[in-house]
């Protein structure tokens, strides 16, 4: 189908619609919100599902087939925080702390954007490789570490916390559930998996249903940041859309070189284009207190995330198709 | 009932600061602390959690001699950059030695 | 099957049994209770499910087929609060605040009673129309608004809050999830729905299972109000049973006139007969501080709700069958 | 460490009153507030939430001059009809100007 | 605004003690109480909940005359074997009679 | 299959793996943890599922077939607290309070160990009787009552609480959900059950998936107690492994005599071998304040529970097979 149909189909899929509902709820000043523990519980469930399924697939995959994609992912984890930092510092004239803080977000990855990309590729019949969750785990922390390192070096920041914070990122919820899930999934094998598949399968209705509720709340959170869009200024607005496109293109291209399918390259592009809003914010808040949270939270949550799930992913898909010729 | 007069220092801060603050409070001589989840508003709305306005409320009972050090510490390390407030009250406790 | 069998089948279905268990737990002074966030999470899930499924059905329904039922529903939303108010004020000799406060509850609707009616009609093989959730959304707020307006006019109540409260009702959890769900459901269409059907289908096991837990807790809450039954006096006790029957009959009749099937008329009757205990209480508490919460909470939760799910719904069904001749 | 003596007003109230109370407190001169979820029992059991006894605990640090207005307000608008209590304490704060 | 000076007794204790403590406080003359969930650390880490460090924070406003009895009670029945602390403050309240 | 394969299959099943992940997360000092309300909500769901399914099965079972197994279970509930008390007091030289406190834990039962035994027996094709949940409910409280009675008699303990505590145990979450579920399940029958089976069936994917998350958190909790292993001393370490084996053997043997199948005897053995960590701890903390929680919590959670799900259950299965000849 053509781009326009693809876009339309994507916009009318549950993920963007649930996100829009959350935003609208905030716009009409509704007090609706998902209880915090439910929100956390859903994110735990979603991440663990990704890990488990990824582990089951990993057991099948040949090391060779993963090696290059893994290398490409790590490379993205090193490049994207630096490009982000330089663009903001040089072109955007942002301070060191703000530039490094935002770089930590864009150097990491958004699991929900990843999920949206996976279901998009499936919907258009271009399934990504089964080992993608492994790449998701690989992309989570390097970018944050590099960005915080840049920040620590460039600022006379009180490093009383840095070491502790890096450890927190490495042992955070996302890593425990993704990596832990990968190991469990790989060890328990098909037999163990089939017994819990209906509950944990990322392609199943339970996962998709829970995801819809989670994204509804993400919409509420993003909606509460819309007011800040004015505060962040035009440069960051543009940055929040153009940077993902550049990182997305880079991700798709590296994925292509690494031998990923069209679907796989699309998802890797979406991962590179996405910005973390779970692991990065607290880490940045503690190590770069001078970085303004309004900047990095608004850019990641209220600009880049919606752009990716609404338009970015189909765009990266087109890029991947074009590269695949 | 014999009681001793000590000071209760209450610190309201962003959640990300909990571990750092409690560790530092212990280093400054606190024998214990109590943390309560809360939310609030003040002059500075910024927060690093996507739950805006979520706060923690740290209570620590200490000897009056320790209070200046604590206030000085939060004033220099936290007030400038974080959404943090602190206030001090006098409290009567039993087993005063327990807190010193 | 005959009425007695229907009644027996209804009493032995999960919903009344779970409710009874909750009440019994309270009677034996058990401290069992569902964590508050879980309770809220479940209600969010249930309401969103109703909205989504209703939206999918709505996409199929012809405007014509809904017009009259919708009109009938809105009419009920205007009549029931007034009848409630007059009965309490004139016959019951209740004060203005108490009468208006209780009217706000009985003028609105209980989503769980609606769900119980839907599964009852399905069980007896008289499925209601697919667009019923739309009617549920329509009946939610008018009654509350009218009752509070009566209260504001009749009392010199500090209206410093009324406007704000009406807005809260219109943008409350129920409305966001029902209306928002309806829109999403209608937009995403069959394709989007089938991907999440197992999770959200109100006729499915996940929905019914979650509902059972939710009602278990409702039983606990109602059980904690049994002690108040003595406080509310005989009139309110009778009112809590007779008023629903009258409103139920009116709802069934209007539903019948509006062209609803036997199942649809039964459900509309149950909706009219039910009393809100989610949206109404806080609204009344703020705008009518002189209204005694013990009255409206006990009547809605400990009298009318159990009556409807145990006996009322089968009764409305008999009325509908009788009308259908 | 220079500190100022201000007042901490604590209001324990039914949850439905949170938004109204905090808005009014700001209007009466509070520069901020802290809310904590709590539960409790008192003379009057009535609540409008189906979680009986659920309360909110609002803490607000203000200049002594503002206290009478706050107490008068809650006394006239809330005490008669709602389950609400309020009490006042003296607290030492740093950056006294922040709260005035 | 006429206010009365009473005492606010705050007891921080293990969750399992909530029901027993609040019942006993009422018997000792408290007209009400407020409970807040909290967590904390002290000299004695032991807890009987599998959520270590979970605590409850009981606040009770009473007449000064009642305070010694409360402190004596917790000192003898709880301090030796449970993770419990208690402290007392003076508070100004409206409707003083409400608490006595 | 041989014992080694059985062990291997058991170790690589989701339950032990999820538990291990939780422990490892704690070992790497991760701050990961399931929100408390989610943890509670999951335990409520799991217990209610066991009760409902058990009730459905109970409706089929003949009283005769349950009588002896029930008697055997109650007998275990009376013996195990006493053996535990004597072993700790005489051999271990523990104080009265500590001995009685630990006896209350080992005299009761761990629902998760029960579930693990059920799914183990199913996996090896030796399904246990359908009425096992009834036995689970029977074993919950007698042991706690007996142990606390011993403690109350032997110590000059302030009995101001004992009566109240015993009532709390009898009306606690586990009893409400298990017994209540049994009654509801028995009353609603097959028809009601099939409507919610997918959600509540303990052999289904939803139950197993939720269980995995619950056990992951149990691993975290147990992991946070590993440091205490040093504090409890060598005797309690050995006790935490040998006592279960003895109680397990006793349970298997009594189950065999009572006419249970190999699977049923295995599960009864696991129940007898297991130690409660939900109902017992608060009861002991209140009535036996001198008992050191570090002892009973560490023994039950960090020693006996892992031993049972990793090695104990397969062992009890071998015993049962051997007895069955
Ligand atoms: N005047 C006040 N009274 C009570 N709490 C306050 C006050 N001002 C600030 N706070 C608390 O301190 C936090 C940080 O304040 P701020 O740094 O002004 O944003 C707020 O979120 C409130 O929880
Ligand atoms: N004597 C007291 N000490 C502490 N808190 C109290 C006291 N009396 C009332 N409260 C709190 O204030 C709320 C409302 O009190 P009341 O209006 O007496 O029902 C109660 O739910 C308690 O949380
Ligand atoms: N110095 C202190 N300041 C504030 N809270 C304390 C202090 N010491 C103990 N606590 C609280 O009292 C509880 C029990 O203290 P402990 O009996 O020392 O373990 C702790 O969990 C803390 O919540
Ligand atoms: Na990225
Ligand atoms: Na109604
Ligand atoms: Na046992």
């Amino acid at each position: 189908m053509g781009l326009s149909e693809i876009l339309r189909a994507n916009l009318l899929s549950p993920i963007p619609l649930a996100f829009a509902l959350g935003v609208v709820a905030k716009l009409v000043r509704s007090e609706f919100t998902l209880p915090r523990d439910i929100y956390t519980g859903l994110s735990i469930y979603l991440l663990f599902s990704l890990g488990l399924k990824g582990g089951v697939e990993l057991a099948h995959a040949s090391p060779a087939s993963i090696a290059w994609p893994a290398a490409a992912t790590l490379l993205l984890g090193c490049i994207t925080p630096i490009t982000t930092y330089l663009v903001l510092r040089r072109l955007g004239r942002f301070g060191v702390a703000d530039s490094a803080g935002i770089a930590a977000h864009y150097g990491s990855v958004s699991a929900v954007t990843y999920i949206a990309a996976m279901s998009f590729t499936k919907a258009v019949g271009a399934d990504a490789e089964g080992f993608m969750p492994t790449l998701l785990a690989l992309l989570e922390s390097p970018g944050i570490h590099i960005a915080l390192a840049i920040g620590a070096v460039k600022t006379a920041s009180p490093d009383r916390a840095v070491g502790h914070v890096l450890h927190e990122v490495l042992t955070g919820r996302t890593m425990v559930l993704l990596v832990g899930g990968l190991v469990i999934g790989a060890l328990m094998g098909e037999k163990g998996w089939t017994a819990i598949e209906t509950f944990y399968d990322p392609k199943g209705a339970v996962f998709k249903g829970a995801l819809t509720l989670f994204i509804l709340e993400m919409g509420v959170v993003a909606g509460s940041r819309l007011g800040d869009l004015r505060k962040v200024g035009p440069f960051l607005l543009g940055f929040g859309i153009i940077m993902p496109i550049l990182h997305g293109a880079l991700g798709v291209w590296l994925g292509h070189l690494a031998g990923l399918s069209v679907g796989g390259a699309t998802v890797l592009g979406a991962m590179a284009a996405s910005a973390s809003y779970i692991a990065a914010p607290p880490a940045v808040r503690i190590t770069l207190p001078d970085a303004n949270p309004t900047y990095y939270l608004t850019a990641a949550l209220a600009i880049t995330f919606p752009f990716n799930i609404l338009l970015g992913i189909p765009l990266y898909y087109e890029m991947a198709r074009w590269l695949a010729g | 009932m014999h009681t001793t007069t000590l000071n209760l220092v209450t610190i309201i801060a962003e959640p990300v600061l909990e571990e750092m603050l409690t560790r530092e409070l212990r280093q400054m001589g606190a024998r214990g602390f109590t943390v309560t989840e809360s939310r609030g508003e003040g002059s500075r709305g910024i927060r690093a959690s996507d739950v805006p306005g979520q706060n923690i409320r740290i209570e620590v009972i200490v000897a009056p001699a320790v209070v200046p050090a604590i206030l000085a510490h939060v004033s220099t390390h936290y007030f400038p950059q974080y959404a943090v407030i602190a206030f001090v009250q006098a409290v009567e406790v039993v087993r005063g030695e327990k807190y010193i």
Side-chain angles (χ1 to χ4, degrees), chain A, chain B:
Chain A
M1 43 184 171
L3 181 50
S4 70
E5 295 165 55
I6 290 180
L7 273 179
R8 202 178 147 297
N10 183 52
L11 289 181
L12 295 184
S13 66
I15 294 179
L17 290 174
F19 184 81
L21 173 55
V23 173
V24 170
K26 251 308 182 237
L27 290 181
V28 298
R29 304 202 320 290
S30 163
E31 284 177 359
F32 170 78
T33 173
L34 215 59
R36 205 160 130 231
D37 285 359
I38 301 290
Y39 188 58
T40 309
L42 285 174
S43 76
I44 289 173
Y45 160 75
L46 295 170
L47 290 165
F48 198 42
S49 303
L50 295 179
L52 289 173
K53 175 69 174 176
V56 175
E57 299 281 354
L58 201 57
H60 301 157
S62 70
S65 65
I66 310 178
W68 284 115
T73 307
L74 290 174
L75 191 58
L76 285 167
C78 303
I79 296 174
T80 53
I82 296 171
T83 49
T84 308
Y85 179 81
L86 293 176
V87 166
L88 290 168
R89 193 89 185 80
R90 299 284 156 77
L91 306 181
R93 298 257 160 276
F94 277 83
V96 168
D98 282 323
S99 306
I102 299 172
H105 290 68
Y106 285 79
S108 182
V109 58
S110 145
V112 177
T113 306
Y114 162 88
I115 295 170
M118 289 295 284
S119 61
F120 172 88
T121 49
K122 178 169 187 303
V124 296
D127 276 299
E129 282 72 3
F131 56 69
M132 297 306 290
T134 313
L135 306 187
L136 179 63
L138 287 175
L139 193 55
E140 169 83 0
S141 35
I144 299 178
H145 288 188
I146 290 170
L148 296 190
I150 296 175
V153 172
K154 296 269 180 181
T155 61
S157 84
D159 60 341
R160 73 185 190 285
V162 175
H164 166 74
V165 165
L166 296 189
H167 171 265
E168 277 208 342
V169 171
L170 275 173
T171 62
R173 181 194 303 160
T174 319
M175 294 305 276
V176 166
L177 294 163
L178 273 183
V179 177
L182 283 166
V183 174
I184 293 181
L187 288 176
M188 73 183 173
E190 284 299 339
K191 191 152 177 308
W193 172 246
T194 42
I196 54 177
E197 183 165 11
T198 318
F199 187 72
Y200 282 117
D201 183 3
K203 291 175 181 165
V206 177
F207 182 92
K208 287 211 163 82
L211 176 67
T212 313
L213 276 176
F214 185 80
I215 290 182
L216 170 60
E217 177 68 11
M218 281 190 63
V220 172
V221 175
S224 65
R225 301 219 151 259
L226 288 187
D228 294 339
L229 285 179
R230 262 179 272 79
K231 298 188 198 153
V232 301
F235 185 89
L236 206 54
L237 280 175
F239 167 92
I241 290 171
I242 293 161
M243 203 75 227
I245 297 178
L246 299 178
H247 284 162
L250 180 65
V252 170
W253 181 61
L254 286 177
H256 177 69
L257 294 182
L260 286 176
S261 66
V262 166
T266 305
V267 174
L268 187 61
M271 284 162 60
S274 72
S276 157
Y277 38 78
I278 291 180
V284 170
R285 185 67 181 132
I286 292 179
T287 52
L288 296 166
D290 290 318
N292 183 347
T294 305
Y295 290 167
Y296 51 76
L297 288 175
T298 307
L301 253 168
I303 306 173
T304 297
F305 175 76
F307 168 75
N308 276 328
I309 62 169
L310 298 180
L311 304 171
I313 292 170
L315 183 64
Y316 312 138
Y317 172 62
E318 287 304 315
M319 294 176 180
R321 281 215 295 193
W322 180 82
L323 273 178
Chain B
M1 193 77 223
H2 167 72
T3 64
T4 322
T5 304
L6 295 176
N7 282 154
L8 169 66
V9 181
T10 305
I11 301 173
I12 296 168
E14 308 175 23
V16 287
L17 303 178
E18 175 171 349
E19 186 171 351
M20 220 153 57
L21 272 170
T22 50
R23 193 171 56 242
E24 291 160 355
L25 284 169
R26 275 197 174 279
Q27 286 159 5
M28 285 183 282
R31 294 257 171 287
F33 57 84
T34 300
V35 179
T36 314
E37 304 271 340
S38 64
R39 56 184 181 273
E41 280 181 28
S43 61
R44 166 202 320 238
I46 60 171
R47 284 291 177 285
S49 79
D50 49 13
V51 191
Q54 213 65 37
N55 286 329
I56 52 160
R57 189 173 172 287
I58 306 178
E59 289 175 302
V60 52
I61 297 172
V62 290
V66 182
V67 172
I70 294 179
L71 293 184
H73 181 78
V74 291
S75 302
T76 45
H77 291 92
Y78 294 98
F79 285 169
Q81 301 160 314
Y82 294 102
V84 173
I85 69 166
F87 53 89
V88 185
Q89 290 160 286
V91 293
E92 299 290 313
V93 303
V94 195
R95 305 179 302 174
E97 65 292 350
K98 181 184 193 316
Y99 306 90
I100 300 169

